[in-house]
Amino acid sequence: MLEVVFTKGKIGAEAVRIVGCAEKTKPGLASLSKDEREAVLKALRQAKFEGKSGQFVEVLGGRSKIIVAGVGKNPDALALQKLGGSLAKRLFRDSVGCYMVEELKGCRLDAKRIACEIAFGLMLGSYRFDKYFTKKKAEEYPALEQMIFKLPDAVDAAEDFKNYAALANAVRYGRDLCNEPANYLTPQVFADDIERLKYLGLEIEILEKNELREKGFGLLLGVAQGSVNEPRVAVLQWKGKSEQEDFDIALVGKGVTFDSGGISLKPGAGMGDMKGDMTGAAVVAASLKALALQAAPVNAVGIVGLVENMPSGSAIRPGDILTSLSGQTVEVLNTDAEGRLVLGDCLTYVQEQYKVRKIIDIATLTGATMRALGSEYAGLFGNDDKLAAELIKAGEESGENLWRLPVNKAYDKMIDSPVADMKNLGGANAGGSTAACFLQRFVKDGVKWAHLDIAGVDRLEKGTELCPKGATAFGIRLLNAYLRH
Ligand code: BES
Ligand code: ZN
Ligand code: ZN
């Protein structure tokens, strides 16, 4: 994999040198020779270079190739990440790149931060999921092996970068899980994969089908009963503050490895995307991985419900009534509203087993939220204004944006059932809010709770600088920003 190196020394002639340039500033070219400087200035004039984000000028000749990269006006951390991501594409055929950190003017961040953000973007932007191609040609693989960051004297970025690299690794891990097809990533394979995270010092417990039955995970088992692939529940603990017994946070993830809709079968078009209905679980597992890699001073417990939702002779039917782990009963009116069932039991279990006063759940839960917010924002629901505001802020910081939507008594009333404590369907409208109200019925009094509905942001139809087409694993960066501040 791509190696990131920080240096203050001389740069070899094999490296492509990159100079960032903010809009309305002049590029810093002090590190270039006089001839190179003249060639660059001429090329910039010819290209009418303004420093706009995404504008690049490549200058050949001289000692080696030089790239001047526009970063837009007053570039912030996200703009620098974006630059890093686009460099991954620009340098596809080059083996070594060198970003001249000292030359960027018009950016309020210090040199250390600039280097880290660009390198972080590079690690995200260079992500590919290509393991299933058997006939890939050598030239389709990136040649870029090393990216050097040339820092001013007295600046050392390597220590800071460890946390960025840990997070980038976690995001890549999360995307890998989400991009896997459902025939490979069954609940059992997913659980086995999570179990391997033990090597990082995470405590991991896997509950198998008979244990789930003994304990009474009635909702989760109801969803799973149509599939030949057995369900699993995985619990991951990171104790970054060993002297403290309580958990600062519980993360709960929806891990439906494939959502066919069950007997309430989904239409065929786009059904393949439902291999990504386990994104919430991948985000939870990857978030705990990130905390462990960062040795973060946080106590966090994660729980994921891993099931496959399939139609068959043994599947649950519309009209069935299930008894949840909490004891509350649920009339299942649509077997495609399965995520809330899986999460309901996981919410109960984590509150019964662990001392938690704050919960964030994350799930590709409703098409309604996707239609409301598109791919710009994930939906945020919850019972605590402070937690919601902090999450929105973490979203802005990380570029994973949240928009708050309501939960209230009126929406809650819409899930009352005439034959059971509740039904798993609301009315025709406000599907995101009624789903959230369903989850809230499994949150104990006094517990602060936020629910992130990531249907709509879990995958990209078209790639961006920081993520190719396919799984985004949306939420890992946001949760990491929230948990570490
Ligand atoms: N996994 C889907 C939600 C979804 C839709 C995720 C689109 C990603 C993209 C969920 O299980 C579902 O099918 N929800 C139904 C609920 C309805 C039957 C109440 C929906 O939103 O249509
Ligand atoms: Zn569904
Ligand atoms: Zn689903």
Side-chain angles (χ1 to χ4, degrees):
M1 210 177 82
L2 179 62
E3 187 194 12
V4 171
V5 179
F6 301 98
T7 183
K8 288 161 220 157
K10 281 220 157 21
I11 305 306
E14 73 284 8
V16 177
R17 282 164 296 166
I18 305 124
V19 178
C21 180
E23 214 175 318
K24 301 249 155 66
T25 68
K26 293 231 160 58
L29 303 173
S31 60
L32 305 184
S33 71
K34 187 164 168 285
D35 289 351
E36 287 172 332
R37 217 160 25 231
E38 278 167 12
V40 167
L41 289 171
K42 187 170 159 215
L44 292 179
R45 272 195 306 274
Q46 278 172 348
K48 297 202 167 59
F49 181 83
E50 291 177 292
K52 288 209 159 68
S53 167
Q55 205 180 4
F56 290 89
V57 171
E58 295 197 7
V59 185
L60 296 160
R63 191 158 63 100
S64 64
K65 182 158 80 176
I66 298 162
I67 298 179
V68 182
V71 224
K73 226 170 169 178
N74 305 325
D76 58 5
L78 293 177
L80 296 172
Q81 289 176 17
K82 207 165 135 182
L83 167 65
S86 44
L87 286 176
K89 258 200 208 111
R90 283 271 147 189
L91 300 177
F92 199 81
R93 293 264 55 85
D94 302 288
S95 56
V96 183
C98 176
Y99 185 89
M100 319 296 287
V101 178
E102 48 204 349
E103 305 290 4
L104 181 62
K105 300 182 173 69
C107 175
R108 261 183 299 229
L109 303 173
D110 64 18
K112 211 196 288 199
R113 186 84 195 275
I114 292 172
C116 286
E117 299 292 350
I118 295 174
F120 181 65
L122 192 70
M123 286 183 77
L124 293 181
S126 58
Y127 171 81
R128 294 290 175 276
F129 184 74
D130 50 17
K131 65 186 270 203
Y132 289 107
F133 290 116
T134 61
K135 292 198 188 72
K136 219 158 150 24
K137 300 182 203 99
E139 64 266 25
E140 290 174 37
Y141 287 99
L144 189 62
E145 279 169 17
Q146 197 184 55
M147 189 69 176
I148 304 166
F149 287 84
K150 172 96 165 40
L151 294 161
D153 290 340
V155 175
D156 196 355
E159 191 55 35
D160 281 22
F161 187 63
K162 283 184 188 156
N163 284 333
Y164 287 84
L167 181 55
N169 278 331
V171 174
R172 295 170 67 102
Y173 170 68
R175 286 180 187 170
D176 274 344
L177 287 168
C178 297
N179 280 320
E180 280 296 345
N183 62 329
Y184 176 76
L185 196 81
T186 60
Q188 190 198 324
V189 170
F190 199 161
D192 290 349
D193 204 87
I194 287 176
E195 201 161 23
R196 276 196 286 278
L197 296 176
K198 268 185 182 157
Y199 81 95
L200 292 171
L202 289 164
E203 218 173 286
I204 305 216
E205 185 194 14
I206 307 291
L207 302 177
E208 304 205 346
K209 187 177 164 188
N210 40 21
E211 295 165 273
L212 296 169
R213 189 173 289 142
E214 274 164 31
K215 292 187 192 302
F217 280 68
L219 301 184
L220 184 142
L221 287 168
V223 175
Q225 77 190 34
S227 172
V228 292
N229 293 310
E230 280 188 12
R232 294 284 186 275
V233 166
V235 184
L236 306 86
Q237 296 179 57
W238 170 249
K239 288 206 144 179
K241 296 189 280 193
S242 51
E243 73 291 350
Q244 178 190 308
E245 203 194 317
D246 299 11
F247 285 91
D248 303 304
I249 191 81
L251 301 177
V252 180
K254 169 178 174 182
V256 176
T257 57
F258 187 71
D259 181 13
S260 68
I263 295 295
S264 314
L265 193 64
K266 284 183 181 296
M271 204 202 275
D273 292 345
M274 285 300 127
K275 70 174 183 174
D277 210 21
M278 35 53 72
T279 302
V283 169
V284 170
S287 293
L288 277 127
K289 179 174 185 175
L291 292 178
L293 285 169
Q294 294 168 334
V298 180
N299 282 2
V301 55
I303 181 168
V304 296
L306 309 173
V307 297
E308 187 177 46
N309 187 23
M310 293 296 262
S312 77
S314 62
I316 40 166
R317 295 147 287 242
D320 284 4
I321 296 177
L322 301 173
T323 301
S324 68
L325 181 62
S326 72
Q328 302 177 94
T329 55
V330 178
E331 182 192 14
V332 177
L333 284 180
N334 189 320
T335 64
D336 195 14
E338 84 299 339
R340 63 198 76 183
L341 301 174
V342 174
L343 291 170
D345 279 345
C346 290
L347 284 163
T348 304
Y349 189 71
V350 81
Q351 291 168 96
E352 277 179 358
Q353 295 292 311
Y354 302 92
K355 285 191 184 155
V356 287
R357 263 171 280 126
K358 209 184 278 174
I359 303 179
I360 303 170
D361 78 69
I362 178 155
T364 46
L365 203 65
T366 66
T369 298
M370 178 175 76
R371 276 187 289 280
L373 301 174
S375 52
E376 286 302 307
Y377 295 89
L380 163 66
F381 304 81
N383 63 6
D384 189 77
D385 291 345
K386 182 161 173 274
L387 175 59
E390 286 168 353
L391 284 168
I392 288 171
K393 188 155 169 284
E396 283 165 359
E397 237 172 73
S398 61
E400 295 185 318
N401 292 306
L402 301 175
W403 196 268
R404 194 166 180 192
L405 294 167
V407 281
N408 69 18
K409 278 214 176 85
Y411 295 123
D412 182 75
K413 212 165 174 308
M414 289 162 73
I415 56 168
D416 283 339
S417 158
V419 292
D421 297 334
M422 66 193 100
K423 56 184 181 181
N424 77 334
L425 260 190
N429 300 323
S433 289
T434 50
C437 286
F438 184 96
L439 300 179
Q440 193 173 20
R441 291 201 186 192
F442 297 86
V443 176
K444 295 201 156 79
D445 282 345
V447 174
K448 293 177 178 140
W449 159 75
H451 156 57
L452 311 181
D453 190 338
I454 54 169
V457 292
D458 62 316
R459 60 189 310 284
L460 290 171
E461 280 308 324
K462 255 177 66 189
T464 64
E465 288 85 356
L466 294 180
C467 183
K469 174 183 160 73
T472 58
F474 181 105
I476 302 170
R477 281 170 281 170
L478 145 77
L479 289 174
N480 199 251
Y482 170 73
L483 293 172
R484 290 186 352 103
H485 297 166

PDB file of all heavy atoms in Angstrom, residues 358-390:
ATOM      1  N   LYS A 358     -25.556   6.919  26.993  1.00  0.00           N
ATOM      2  CA  LYS A 358     -25.613   7.601  25.698  1.00  0.00           C
ATOM      3  C   LYS A 358     -25.479   6.561  24.583  1.00  0.00           C
ATOM      4  O   LYS A 358     -24.564   5.732  24.615  1.00  0.00           O
ATOM      5  CB  LYS A 358     -24.442   8.594  25.620  1.00  0.00           C
ATOM      6  CG  LYS A 358     -24.702   9.790  24.757  1.00  0.00           C
ATOM      7  CD  LYS A 358     -23.481  10.675  24.650  1.00  0.00           C
ATOM      8  CE  LYS A 358     -23.302  11.625  25.831  1.00  0.00           C
ATOM      9  NZ  LYS A 358     -22.021  12.364  25.743  1.00  0.00           N
ATOM     10  N   ILE A 359     -26.405   6.616  23.639  1.00  0.00           N
ATOM     11  CA  ILE A 359     -26.399   5.634  22.545  1.00  0.00           C
ATOM     12  C   ILE A 359     -26.503   6.355  21.203  1.00  0.00           C
ATOM     13  O   ILE A 359     -27.298   7.287  21.051  1.00  0.00           O
ATOM     14  CB  ILE A 359     -27.613   4.682  22.637  1.00  0.00           C
ATOM     15  CG1 ILE A 359     -27.648   3.963  23.989  1.00  0.00           C
ATOM     16  CG2 ILE A 359     -27.597   3.665  21.500  1.00  0.00           C
ATOM     17  CD1 ILE A 359     -28.838   3.015  24.143  1.00  0.00           C
ATOM     18  N   ILE A 360     -25.710   5.905  20.256  1.00  0.00           N
ATOM     19  CA  ILE A 360     -25.895   6.346  18.866  1.00  0.00           C
ATOM     20  C   ILE A 360     -26.126   5.088  18.037  1.00  0.00           C
ATOM     21  O   ILE A 360     -25.301   4.170  18.070  1.00  0.00           O
ATOM     22  CB  ILE A 360     -24.658   7.099  18.327  1.00  0.00           C
ATOM     23  CG1 ILE A 360     -24.320   8.304  19.214  1.00  0.00           C
ATOM     24  CG2 ILE A 360     -24.895   7.552  16.887  1.00  0.00           C
ATOM     25  CD1 ILE A 360     -22.975   8.952  18.897  1.00  0.00           C
ATOM     26  N   ASP A 361     -27.257   5.027  17.330  1.00  0.00           N
ATOM     27  CA  ASP A 361     -27.423   3.915  16.405  1.00  0.00           C
ATOM     28  C   ASP A 361     -27.282   4.428  14.987  1.00  0.00           C
ATOM     29  O   ASP A 361     -27.502   5.613  14.706  1.00  0.00           O
ATOM     30  CB  ASP A 361     -28.769   3.198  16.629  1.00  0.00           C
ATOM     31  CG  ASP A 361     -29.934   3.962  16.027  1.00  0.00           C
ATOM     32  OD1 ASP A 361     -30.031   4.039  14.778  1.00  0.00           O
ATOM     33  OD2 ASP A 361     -30.764   4.485  16.806  1.00  0.00           O
ATOM     34  N   ILE A 362     -26.859   3.544  14.102  1.00  0.00           N
ATOM     35  CA  ILE A 362     -26.607   3.951  12.716  1.00  0.00           C
ATOM     36  C   ILE A 362     -27.097   2.844  11.782  1.00  0.00           C
ATOM     37  O   ILE A 362     -26.775   1.675  11.985  1.00  0.00           O
ATOM     38  CB  ILE A 362     -25.121   4.334  12.519  1.00  0.00           C
ATOM     39  CG1 ILE A 362     -24.826   4.721  11.080  1.00  0.00           C
ATOM     40  CG2 ILE A 362     -24.165   3.252  12.987  1.00  0.00           C
ATOM     41  CD1 ILE A 362     -23.629   5.635  10.940  1.00  0.00           C
ATOM     42  N   ALA A 363     -27.915   3.249  10.793  1.00  0.00           N
ATOM     43  CA  ALA A 363     -28.592   2.240   9.982  1.00  0.00           C
ATOM     44  C   ALA A 363     -29.054   2.790   8.637  1.00  0.00           C
ATOM     45  O   ALA A 363     -29.504   3.939   8.550  1.00  0.00           O
ATOM     46  CB  ALA A 363     -29.816   1.734  10.748  1.00  0.00           C
ATOM     47  N   THR A 364     -28.981   1.952   7.620  1.00  0.00           N
ATOM     48  CA  THR A 364     -29.629   2.243   6.333  1.00  0.00           C
ATOM     49  C   THR A 364     -31.102   1.877   6.525  1.00  0.00           C
ATOM     50  O   THR A 364     -31.533   0.804   6.143  1.00  0.00           O
ATOM     51  CB  THR A 364     -29.010   1.367   5.225  1.00  0.00           C
ATOM     52  OG1 THR A 364     -28.908   0.012   5.713  1.00  0.00           O
ATOM     53  CG2 THR A 364     -27.632   1.842   4.819  1.00  0.00           C
ATOM     54  N   LEU A 365     -31.844   2.785   7.159  1.00  0.00           N
ATOM     55  CA  LEU A 365     -33.144   2.366   7.694  1.00  0.00           C
ATOM     56  C   LEU A 365     -34.340   2.606   6.783  1.00  0.00           C
ATOM     57  O   LEU A 365     -35.197   1.737   6.658  1.00  0.00           O
ATOM     58  CB  LEU A 365     -33.385   3.016   9.060  1.00  0.00           C
ATOM     59  CG  LEU A 365     -34.378   2.258   9.944  1.00  0.00           C
ATOM     60  CD1 LEU A 365     -33.837   0.890  10.320  1.00  0.00           C
ATOM     61  CD2 LEU A 365     -34.729   3.029  11.201  1.00  0.00           C
ATOM     62  N   THR A 366     -34.424   3.803   6.177  1.00  0.00           N
ATOM     63  CA  THR A 366     -35.660   4.084   5.421  1.00  0.00           C
ATOM     64  C   THR A 366     -35.409   4.777   4.077  1.00  0.00           C
ATOM     65  O   THR A 366     -34.609   5.711   3.974  1.00  0.00           O
ATOM     66  CB  THR A 366     -36.627   5.007   6.220  1.00  0.00           C
ATOM     67  OG1 THR A 366     -36.032   6.293   6.375  1.00  0.00           O
ATOM     68  CG2 THR A 366     -36.968   4.424   7.571  1.00  0.00           C
ATOM     69  N   GLY A 367     -36.178   4.325   3.085  1.00  0.00           N
ATOM     70  CA  GLY A 367     -36.192   5.004   1.800  1.00  0.00           C
ATOM     71  C   GLY A 367     -36.742   6.416   1.948  1.00  0.00           C
ATOM     72  O   GLY A 367     -36.379   7.319   1.191  1.00  0.00           O
ATOM     73  N   ALA A 368     -37.589   6.630   2.937  1.00  0.00           N
ATOM     74  CA  ALA A 368     -38.206   7.949   3.135  1.00  0.00           C
ATOM     75  C   ALA A 368     -37.142   9.003   3.455  1.00  0.00           C
ATOM     76  O   ALA A 368     -37.180  10.121   2.926  1.00  0.00           O
ATOM     77  CB  ALA A 368     -39.236   7.873   4.256  1.00  0.00           C
ATOM     78  N   THR A 369     -36.192   8.655   4.313  1.00  0.00           N
ATOM     79  CA  THR A 369     -35.123   9.603   4.646  1.00  0.00           C
ATOM     80  C   THR A 369     -34.239   9.853   3.425  1.00  0.00           C
ATOM     81  O   THR A 369     -33.834  10.981   3.155  1.00  0.00           O
ATOM     82  CB  THR A 369     -34.299   9.083   5.836  1.00  0.00           C
ATOM     83  OG1 THR A 369     -35.170   8.968   6.961  1.00  0.00           O
ATOM     84  CG2 THR A 369     -33.157  10.030   6.177  1.00  0.00           C
ATOM     85  N   MET A 370     -34.004   8.793   2.676  1.00  0.00           N
ATOM     86  CA  MET A 370     -33.211   8.941   1.451  1.00  0.00           C
ATOM     87  C   MET A 370     -33.908   9.907   0.490  1.00  0.00           C
ATOM     88  O   MET A 370     -33.261  10.786  -0.089  1.00  0.00           O
ATOM     89  CB  MET A 370     -33.041   7.574   0.795  1.00  0.00           C
ATOM     90  CG  MET A 370     -32.284   7.600  -0.500  1.00  0.00           C
ATOM     91  SD  MET A 370     -32.004   5.950  -1.141  1.00  0.00           S
ATOM     92  CE  MET A 370     -33.617   5.565  -1.777  1.00  0.00           C
ATOM     93  N   ARG A 371     -35.205   9.782   0.352  1.00  0.00           N
ATOM     94  CA  ARG A 371     -35.925  10.673  -0.572  1.00  0.00           C
ATOM     95  C   ARG A 371     -35.949  12.112  -0.057  1.00  0.00           C
ATOM     96  O   ARG A 371     -35.911  13.052  -0.832  1.00  0.00           O
ATOM     97  CB  ARG A 371     -37.334  10.157  -0.841  1.00  0.00           C
ATOM     98  CG  ARG A 371     -37.342   9.090  -1.946  1.00  0.00           C
ATOM     99  CD  ARG A 371     -38.752   8.691  -2.349  1.00  0.00           C
ATOM    100  NE  ARG A 371     -39.395   7.909  -1.309  1.00  0.00           N
ATOM    101  CZ  ARG A 371     -39.189   6.602  -1.102  1.00  0.00           C
ATOM    102  NH1 ARG A 371     -38.337   5.944  -1.881  1.00  0.00           N
ATOM    103  NH2 ARG A 371     -39.794   5.957  -0.139  1.00  0.00           N
ATOM    104  N   ALA A 372     -35.998  12.273   1.254  1.00  0.00           N
ATOM    105  CA  ALA A 372     -36.026  13.630   1.818  1.00  0.00           C
ATOM    106  C   ALA A 372     -34.685  14.341   1.655  1.00  0.00           C
ATOM    107  O   ALA A 372     -34.643  15.520   1.341  1.00  0.00           O
ATOM    108  CB  ALA A 372     -36.409  13.561   3.297  1.00  0.00           C
ATOM    109  N   LEU A 373     -33.594  13.628   1.892  1.00  0.00           N
ATOM    110  CA  LEU A 373     -32.291  14.293   1.993  1.00  0.00           C
ATOM    111  C   LEU A 373     -31.322  13.947   0.871  1.00  0.00           C
ATOM    112  O   LEU A 373     -30.277  14.586   0.741  1.00  0.00           O
ATOM    113  CB  LEU A 373     -31.651  13.952   3.346  1.00  0.00           C
ATOM    114  CG  LEU A 373     -32.470  14.347   4.584  1.00  0.00           C
ATOM    115  CD1 LEU A 373     -31.803  13.840   5.857  1.00  0.00           C
ATOM    116  CD2 LEU A 373     -32.659  15.861   4.654  1.00  0.00           C
ATOM    117  N   GLY A 374     -31.648  12.962   0.048  1.00  0.00           N
ATOM    118  CA  GLY A 374     -30.747  12.580  -1.044  1.00  0.00           C
ATOM    119  C   GLY A 374     -29.407  12.128  -0.513  1.00  0.00           C
ATOM    120  O   GLY A 374     -29.324  11.538   0.564  1.00  0.00           O
ATOM    121  N   SER A 375     -28.354  12.455  -1.284  1.00  0.00           N
ATOM    122  CA  SER A 375     -27.033  11.999  -0.845  1.00  0.00           C
ATOM    123  C   SER A 375     -26.246  13.118  -0.163  1.00  0.00           C
ATOM    124  O   SER A 375     -25.048  13.000   0.059  1.00  0.00           O
ATOM    125  CB  SER A 375     -26.267  11.420  -2.032  1.00  0.00           C
ATOM    126  OG  SER A 375     -26.285  12.361  -3.079  1.00  0.00           O
ATOM    127  N   GLU A 376     -26.943  14.242   0.157  1.00  0.00           N
ATOM    128  CA  GLU A 376     -26.246  15.381   0.763  1.00  0.00           C
ATOM    129  C   GLU A 376     -26.080  15.243   2.280  1.00  0.00           C
ATOM    130  O   GLU A 376     -25.073  15.655   2.846  1.00  0.00           O
ATOM    131  CB  GLU A 376     -27.032  16.667   0.493  1.00  0.00           C
ATOM    132  CG  GLU A 376     -26.912  17.161  -0.931  1.00  0.00           C
ATOM    133  CD  GLU A 376     -25.463  17.412  -1.313  1.00  0.00           C
ATOM    134  OE1 GLU A 376     -24.776  18.140  -0.588  1.00  0.00           O
ATOM    135  OE2 GLU A 376     -25.028  16.845  -2.323  1.00  0.00           O
ATOM    136  N   TYR A 377     -27.099  14.723   2.923  1.00  0.00           N
ATOM    137  CA  TYR A 377     -27.096  14.612   4.384  1.00  0.00           C
ATOM    138  C   TYR A 377     -27.632  13.245   4.791  1.00  0.00           C
ATOM    139  O   TYR A 377     -28.503  12.695   4.117  1.00  0.00           O
ATOM    140  CB  TYR A 377     -28.052  15.633   5.014  1.00  0.00           C
ATOM    141  CG  TYR A 377     -27.686  17.073   4.819  1.00  0.00           C
ATOM    142  CD1 TYR A 377     -28.138  17.772   3.702  1.00  0.00           C
ATOM    143  CD2 TYR A 377     -26.912  17.744   5.768  1.00  0.00           C
ATOM    144  CE1 TYR A 377     -27.820  19.101   3.522  1.00  0.00           C
ATOM    145  CE2 TYR A 377     -26.602  19.081   5.598  1.00  0.00           C
ATOM    146  CZ  TYR A 377     -27.047  19.753   4.473  1.00  0.00           C
ATOM    147  OH  TYR A 377     -26.741  21.071   4.302  1.00  0.00           O
ATOM    148  N   ALA A 378     -27.187  12.760   5.938  1.00  0.00           N
ATOM    149  CA  ALA A 378     -27.868  11.637   6.579  1.00  0.00           C
ATOM    150  C   ALA A 378     -28.888  12.230   7.542  1.00  0.00           C
ATOM    151  O   ALA A 378     -28.728  13.348   8.022  1.00  0.00           O
ATOM    152  CB  ALA A 378     -26.867  10.770   7.333  1.00  0.00           C
ATOM    153  N   GLY A 379     -29.938  11.490   7.810  1.00  0.00           N
ATOM    154  CA  GLY A 379     -30.957  11.957   8.741  1.00  0.00           C
ATOM    155  C   GLY A 379     -30.512  11.719  10.177  1.00  0.00           C
ATOM    156  O   GLY A 379     -29.947  10.675  10.498  1.00  0.00           O
ATOM    157  N   LEU A 380     -30.752  12.738  11.013  1.00  0.00           N
ATOM    158  CA  LEU A 380     -30.416  12.630  12.438  1.00  0.00           C
ATOM    159  C   LEU A 380     -31.697  12.777  13.249  1.00  0.00           C
ATOM    160  O   LEU A 380     -32.463  13.727  13.039  1.00  0.00           O
ATOM    161  CB  LEU A 380     -29.417  13.736  12.808  1.00  0.00           C
ATOM    162  CG  LEU A 380     -29.225  14.069  14.298  1.00  0.00           C
ATOM    163  CD1 LEU A 380     -28.584  12.894  15.031  1.00  0.00           C
ATOM    164  CD2 LEU A 380     -28.364  15.308  14.461  1.00  0.00           C
ATOM    165  N   PHE A 381     -31.938  11.838  14.114  1.00  0.00           N
ATOM    166  CA  PHE A 381     -33.117  11.859  14.982  1.00  0.00           C
ATOM    167  C   PHE A 381     -32.607  11.676  16.405  1.00  0.00           C
ATOM    168  O   PHE A 381     -31.509  11.157  16.605  1.00  0.00           O
ATOM    169  CB  PHE A 381     -34.059  10.699  14.630  1.00  0.00           C
ATOM    170  CG  PHE A 381     -34.506  10.667  13.188  1.00  0.00           C
ATOM    171  CD1 PHE A 381     -33.683  10.139  12.196  1.00  0.00           C
ATOM    172  CD2 PHE A 381     -35.742  11.162  12.818  1.00  0.00           C
ATOM    173  CE1 PHE A 381     -34.094  10.100  10.863  1.00  0.00           C
ATOM    174  CE2 PHE A 381     -36.161  11.126  11.484  1.00  0.00           C
ATOM    175  CZ  PHE A 381     -35.330  10.590  10.511  1.00  0.00           C
ATOM    176  N   GLY A 382     -33.401  12.023  17.409  1.00  0.00           N
ATOM    177  CA  GLY A 382     -32.928  11.745  18.755  1.00  0.00           C
ATOM    178  C   GLY A 382     -33.706  12.477  19.817  1.00  0.00           C
ATOM    179  O   GLY A 382     -34.625  13.249  19.521  1.00  0.00           O
ATOM    180  N   ASN A 383     -33.311  12.222  21.085  1.00  0.00           N
ATOM    181  CA  ASN A 383     -34.063  12.786  22.212  1.00  0.00           C
ATOM    182  C   ASN A 383     -33.240  13.801  23.000  1.00  0.00           C
ATOM    183  O   ASN A 383     -33.646  14.206  24.084  1.00  0.00           O
ATOM    184  CB  ASN A 383     -34.533  11.649  23.143  1.00  0.00           C
ATOM    185  CG  ASN A 383     -33.365  10.903  23.772  1.00  0.00           C
ATOM    186  OD1 ASN A 383     -32.203  11.295  23.608  1.00  0.00           O
ATOM    187  ND2 ASN A 383     -33.656   9.827  24.487  1.00  0.00           N
ATOM    188  N   ASP A 384     -32.081  14.203  22.475  1.00  0.00           N
ATOM    189  CA  ASP A 384     -31.214  15.087  23.252  1.00  0.00           C
ATOM    190  C   ASP A 384     -30.599  16.163  22.349  1.00  0.00           C
ATOM    191  O   ASP A 384     -29.835  15.852  21.425  1.00  0.00           O
ATOM    192  CB  ASP A 384     -30.118  14.248  23.912  1.00  0.00           C
ATOM    193  CG  ASP A 384     -29.311  15.072  24.899  1.00  0.00           C
ATOM    194  OD1 ASP A 384     -29.806  15.328  26.003  1.00  0.00           O
ATOM    195  OD2 ASP A 384     -28.187  15.481  24.539  1.00  0.00           O
ATOM    196  N   ASP A 385     -30.936  17.424  22.628  1.00  0.00           N
ATOM    197  CA  ASP A 385     -30.486  18.522  21.764  1.00  0.00           C
ATOM    198  C   ASP A 385     -28.970  18.677  21.750  1.00  0.00           C
ATOM    199  O   ASP A 385     -28.368  18.989  20.726  1.00  0.00           O
ATOM    200  CB  ASP A 385     -31.126  19.843  22.211  1.00  0.00           C
ATOM    201  CG  ASP A 385     -32.629  19.862  21.929  1.00  0.00           C
ATOM    202  OD1 ASP A 385     -33.087  19.002  21.147  1.00  0.00           O
ATOM    203  OD2 ASP A 385     -33.332  20.718  22.508  1.00  0.00           O
ATOM    204  N   LYS A 386     -28.358  18.478  22.937  1.00  0.00           N
ATOM    205  CA  LYS A 386     -26.907  18.689  23.011  1.00  0.00           C
ATOM    206  C   LYS A 386     -26.179  17.620  22.177  1.00  0.00           C
ATOM    207  O   LYS A 386     -25.286  17.947  21.379  1.00  0.00           O
ATOM    208  CB  LYS A 386     -26.456  18.631  24.478  1.00  0.00           C
ATOM    209  CG  LYS A 386     -24.995  18.891  24.689  1.00  0.00           C
ATOM    210  CD  LYS A 386     -24.671  19.273  26.134  1.00  0.00           C
ATOM    211  CE  LYS A 386     -23.177  19.353  26.349  1.00  0.00           C
ATOM    212  NZ  LYS A 386     -22.584  18.061  26.687  1.00  0.00           N
ATOM    213  N   LEU A 387     -26.581  16.378  22.364  1.00  0.00           N
ATOM    214  CA  LEU A 387     -25.971  15.288  21.584  1.00  0.00           C
ATOM    215  C   LEU A 387     -26.172  15.535  20.088  1.00  0.00           C
ATOM    216  O   LEU A 387     -25.243  15.377  19.287  1.00  0.00           O
ATOM    217  CB  LEU A 387     -26.589  13.948  22.016  1.00  0.00           C
ATOM    218  CG  LEU A 387     -26.164  12.696  21.232  1.00  0.00           C
ATOM    219  CD1 LEU A 387     -24.659  12.479  21.293  1.00  0.00           C
ATOM    220  CD2 LEU A 387     -26.892  11.451  21.776  1.00  0.00           C
ATOM    221  N   ALA A 388     -27.376  15.948  19.710  1.00  0.00           N
ATOM    222  CA  ALA A 388     -27.670  16.202  18.295  1.00  0.00           C
ATOM    223  C   ALA A 388     -26.766  17.318  17.757  1.00  0.00           C
ATOM    224  O   ALA A 388     -26.182  17.190  16.684  1.00  0.00           O
ATOM    225  CB  ALA A 388     -29.141  16.567  18.121  1.00  0.00           C
ATOM    226  N   ALA A 389     -26.645  18.395  18.534  1.00  0.00           N
ATOM    227  CA  ALA A 389     -25.821  19.528  18.079  1.00  0.00           C
ATOM    228  C   ALA A 389     -24.354  19.114  17.948  1.00  0.00           C
ATOM    229  O   ALA A 389     -23.667  19.499  16.993  1.00  0.00           O
ATOM    230  CB  ALA A 389     -25.961  20.696  19.054  1.00  0.00           C
ATOM    231  N   GLU A 390     -23.886  18.316  18.887  1.00  0.00           N
ATOM    232  CA  GLU A 390     -22.482  17.872  18.820  1.00  0.00           C
ATOM    233  C   GLU A 390     -22.245  16.974  17.610  1.00  0.00           C
ATOM    234  O   GLU A 390     -21.192  17.045  16.971  1.00  0.00           O
ATOM    235  CB  GLU A 390     -22.110  17.132  20.121  1.00  0.00           C
ATOM    236  CG  GLU A 390     -21.934  18.079  21.295  1.00  0.00           C
ATOM    237  CD  GLU A 390     -21.856  17.379  22.649  1.00  0.00           C
ATOM    238  OE1 GLU A 390     -22.067  16.144  22.721  1.00  0.00           O
ATOM    239  OE2 GLU A 390     -21.597  18.081  23.644  1.00  0.00           O
TER     240      GLU A 390
END
